[in-house]
Amino acid sequence: MSQAHSNLHRSAWADWWEGTRRTDIWWTLAWFDIVLRYRRSMLGPLWLTLSMGAMIAGMGPLYSSLFGTNLSKFFPHLTLGLIFWGLFSAMVTEGCNAFIGSAHYLKQGYFPISLFVWRSMSRNLIQFLHQVVLYIPVALWAGISLSWSALLVIPAFVLLLINAHAIGLVLGLVCTRFRDVTQIVTSLMQMLMFLTPVFWMPEGLPGRARYILWNPFAQMLDLLRTPLMGGTATLHSWLGILGWTAGGLVIATLLFAKYRRRVVYWL
């Protein structure tokens, strides 16, 4: 009892670090989430790869014809767009339920709440790894030649994880208190999918519509996709994401420090 009391009254930083450093717990929980989801399935998580591959194979030639774009250029663009958008969408929407879905753990004993945000992120990363392998045959078919600039995808992915964790903390807290926000976020992500260059090429936008590219998901997609297509992301995208990251960290820190102890009472 005294241990639980001391844990609940530790600083916000110590509370966050306690959840973050327990990789053995949140990675194991994430892995078992995947195992349980595909229990009794013959192919297991490979269904993720097959379903995404079927979607890409069906949409690639169709949208290439609709937009009048060369298939060898559009196919890798669409492939990476769908794969990364799937990761973005899952990180955000499942972040809303990071604490609600872990209520039985939080009600039975003390757990740092950041642990369950990492659990949600890890589960989505495992799913992402099953899908990103589809990029390899597409890149070989399209003849994409990578340069050293492809390594820029590493710091871009680190920025993605930082933002995903901040968003997970914010949405996890807000959606636990106000359950309707989950539906709002889900609808918003569906709309943003069409405002982000997943299916269409950014260079096809008319001048007055290019403000759409200030969308943070469009900027993050540019940082991750462009290096893997042999190009270099724009400075606009780097500066934009750094700004969004700084703002997200400030909001997440303030909300986490003030409301982290109330989560168990909101469940």
Side-chain angles (χ1 to χ4, degrees):
M1 189 70 174
S2 60
Q3 178 66 24
H5 179 82
S6 63
N7 283 336
L8 286 171
H9 289 80
R10 68 174 65 189
S11 68
W13 165 257
D15 193 41
W16 175 84
W17 177 245
E18 178 65 21
T20 300
R21 74 180 185 86
R22 295 308 304 268
T23 56
D24 56 330
I25 297 179
W26 49 258
W27 185 259
T28 301
L29 288 174
W31 181 257
F32 276 113
D33 287 341
I34 298 294
V35 171
L36 290 175
R37 180 176 299 182
Y38 293 97
R39 185 175 53 180
R40 299 181 185 274
S41 171
M42 291 181 63
L43 297 179
L46 288 179
W47 280 114
L48 295 168
T49 310
L50 293 176
S51 60
M52 179 63 74
M55 181 184 298
I56 293 169
M59 296 179 66
L62 173 62
Y63 277 77
S64 176
S65 300
L66 289 175
F67 295 133
T69 307
N70 185 280
L71 184 59
S72 63
K73 179 180 180 181
F74 182 76
F75 214 22
H77 174 90
L78 177 67
T79 299
L80 290 172
L82 287 173
I83 291 172
F84 281 121
W85 181 262
L87 178 61
F88 298 166
S89 180
M91 288 282 195
V92 173
T93 55
E94 292 193 19
C96 294
N97 296 308
F99 306 139
I100 298 172
S102 303
H104 52 293
Y105 292 108
L106 290 166
K107 289 179 179 180
Q108 290 178 8
Y110 171 77
F111 289 94
I113 65 171
S114 63
L115 184 149
F116 298 103
V117 177
W118 289 116
R119 172 196 184 184
S120 176
M121 290 175 58
S122 300
R123 181 170 62 243
N124 292 316
L125 283 175
I126 293 172
Q127 295 176 343
F128 168 75
L129 292 175
H130 282 87
Q131 296 174 340
V132 75
V133 296
L134 294 169
Y135 165 72
I136 298 174
V138 172
L140 293 174
W141 174 83
I144 294 177
S145 179
L146 298 180
S147 63
W148 286 105
S149 64
L151 294 177
L152 290 174
V153 76
I154 297 175
F157 205 83
V158 172
L159 284 174
L160 169 64
L161 295 180
I162 293 172
N163 279 278
H165 189 66
I167 291 172
L169 285 175
V170 171
L171 290 179
L173 290 166
V174 173
C175 294
T176 302
R177 179 63 180 86
F178 305 101
R179 302 299 172 93
D180 290 340
V181 175
T182 301
Q183 304 303 321
I184 296 173
V185 171
T186 302
S187 300
L188 185 62
M189 291 301 294
Q190 292 174 349
M191 179 189 70
L192 285 173
M193 183 178 185
F194 297 99
L195 297 179
T196 303
V198 176
F199 305 108
W200 45 271
M201 308 287 284
E203 53 267 28
L205 286 175
R208 289 182 298 177
R210 298 191 69 82
Y211 69 89
I212 293 177
L213 298 180
W214 283 97
N215 165 9
F217 292 102
Q219 294 173 338
M220 181 58 75
L221 186 57
D222 182 35
L223 297 186
L224 291 167
R225 178 169 58 188
T226 305
L228 294 177
M229 293 184 63
T232 304
T234 64
L235 181 61
H236 163 270
S237 296
W238 283 106
L239 294 177
I241 287 300
L242 289 174
W244 285 106
T245 302
L249 287 175
V250 170
I251 295 172
T253 300
L254 294 175
L255 290 179
F256 179 74
K258 186 173 183 179
Y259 296 111
R260 71 186 190 279
R261 298 188 184 99
R262 302 186 189 182
V263 169
V264 69
Y265 301 107
W266 291 339
L267 292 171

